[in-house]
Structure formats: C-alpha cells, structure tokens
Amino acid sequence: MELAYYSDYAVRLVNSEEPGRGKDSLTSVEAVRDLFGGNQQAARRATDADLTRFRSVRARLRAVFEAADKGEETLAVDLLNSLLLEFPVSPQISGHDFRDEDGRPLWHMHLADHPSNATAGYTAIAAMGLAFHLTEYGVDRLGLCEAAPCRNAYLDTSTNRSRRYCSDRCATRANVAAYRARKRLEAERPDRPERSASTGLAAESAQRASASGER
C-alpha cells in the first residue's frame, strides 16, 4: 500500500466540516469512529474526549490546505511539519492480509502509530500521509473546492494539475452556474445598437429625397 494513501485520512477529517454551509458532521464519538474507515481496531479507542481533540486537529489540517490553496507553499509545509513533530509514527514493513499466488506476503510499507489516544493515532497517520502526497506530487496538489460555498479539501492527482473541484457534482454545479451567467450577459448585451426614432426618420427622408432627385 502506498504511503500517500493515508493522505485520505486528512481529507476525510477536514471535510467533516463545511464552514460555508454551516455544517459539521463531527458531533459524536460514532462520527469520530467512522473517520477510521476499515481500521476498526483503532476506531474502538475513540472516546468522548477525542471529539474536541479531533476538531482541533481538523482546524490545523484545514489551515494546511488553505495555505496551499493560496500558494503559500512554505507556510503549508511549516504547518504540516508542526503536526508531524507533535504526532510521530514509525514506518514499518508489513505483509499482513496480502498474499501472492504462492502464498507469500506482499511486502509493503505500513505506518505504525503508537498513540496515547485515538486522536494522536489518527493525526499521526493523516499528517504522514499528507506529507508523502505533498512531497510526491507538490504543494499545489492540495486544494480547496472552488464551487462556493463548498470549499471542501481535495488532492489533485490529475496529469495536468487541472483539478479545481472536490467532486464531479461540484464541477457540474460550477459549470452550470458559469453557463447561466454567460447567457444572462448575452441577453443584457444586444448584438447591435438600436437606432433612435429621430435617426431612423432622418435616414428614411434622405433616402426618399435621393430617389426623387434621380427621377
């Protein structure tokens, strides 16, 4: 398993809140445990005390994405480094649950955390995964959705660094809004200026005079 995979832990936590919409799904221990996905052993460590701690870490991770989104590369790295120092992990070689055709382990790197609580374990993995993604693809691959008021975090893995939205749904919504805005502008801007009534009458009189003179 690639270590950059763990960066999804950071995205999951950041997107548990949508400030622009006034939504926050991180309101219970069950919600905290859901963030761990299939890692149920780690999820079972979560208690009521982790709720506040998770929200604090969430704010710090969002700050990393915000700095990256604004092009403040050094700030994004500094903020992430502070999390890495506070919540360390131990990379280990693992082969659990993976077997090749001959039954041998498929060795891969695994992040082993040694947490004092569920928040420490989750943050250690999220921060390290995000760090691997950042160094592998670049700081500008960390973004915030441009479809207001969404602002969800995303990781850009496109080949041409063109991603601007967190999901296809937001991309479609933004494209529809832009299309409608263009149509409104076109409707408000006539193709050619209208002639005033006096200008039109003068032109018609000149044409009649010219025709009479030619007879």
Side-chain angles (χ1 to χ4, degrees):
M1 183 182 296
E2 296 181 0
L3 294 181
Y5 157 82
Y6 291 108
S7 58
D8 187 54
Y9 275 58
V11 173
R12 238 180 288 164
L13 178 53
V14 171
N15 291 346
S16 66
E17 180 184 29
E18 297 182 68
R21 294 190 174 104
K23 294 182 179 180
D24 187 349
S25 63
L26 203 57
T27 57
S28 65
V29 177
E30 288 70 26
V32 170
R33 290 171 178 163
D34 287 342
L35 290 171
F36 285 88
N39 191 353
Q40 290 304 303
Q41 182 177 353
R44 283 193 290 270
R45 292 196 297 256
T47 66
D48 289 330
D50 285 296
L51 194 54
T52 300
R53 290 192 288 255
F54 260 76
R55 287 174 175 168
S56 176
V57 170
R58 179 176 64 187
R60 294 173 66 180
L61 285 171
R62 175 169 282 277
V64 175
F65 279 91
E66 288 175 343
D69 189 63
K70 293 176 182 176
E72 298 174 352
E73 185 169 327
T74 301
L75 177 58
V77 171
D78 288 344
L79 291 171
L80 187 52
N81 272 335
S82 69
L83 285 166
L84 291 170
L85 288 171
E86 188 174 344
F87 302 98
V89 294
S90 301
Q92 294 181 355
I93 300 174
S94 174
H96 66 82
D97 299 331
F98 294 93
R99 295 281 186 235
D100 63 13
E101 295 179 354
D102 297 323
R104 296 174 301 184
L106 295 178
W107 301 114
H108 61 280
M109 292 300 295
H110 175 75
L111 296 183
D113 58 277
H114 308 286
S116 56
N117 53 66
T119 305
Y122 190 98
T123 306
I125 292 174
M128 183 61 75
L130 197 58
F132 273 102
H133 190 96
L134 185 151
T135 53
E136 178 72 17
Y137 299 105
V139 178
D140 58 341
R141 294 305 189 109
L142 278 59
L144 293 174
C145 186
E146 292 185 12
C150 179
R151 304 302 283 167
N152 270 352
Y154 66 83
L155 299 170
D156 185 2
T157 56
S158 63
T159 55
N160 57 356
R161 300 172 183 263
S162 61
R163 185 170 179 178
R164 297 166 55 200
Y165 307 103
C166 69
S167 64
D168 290 339
R169 179 182 179 183
C170 277
T172 300
R173 189 171 70 248
N175 289 334
V176 169
Y179 173 79
R180 289 175 177 171
R182 288 195 302 271
K183 286 299 182 182
R184 283 196 299 270
L185 286 174
E186 291 172 3
E188 294 170 359
R189 185 176 60 245
D191 293 335
R192 57 187 178 185
E194 294 182 359
R195 297 187 304 173
S196 64
S198 59
T199 302
L201 290 173
E204 290 175 5
S205 297
Q207 288 176 355
R208 285 197 296 269
S210 176
S212 299
E214 291 174 355
R215 292 194 187 102

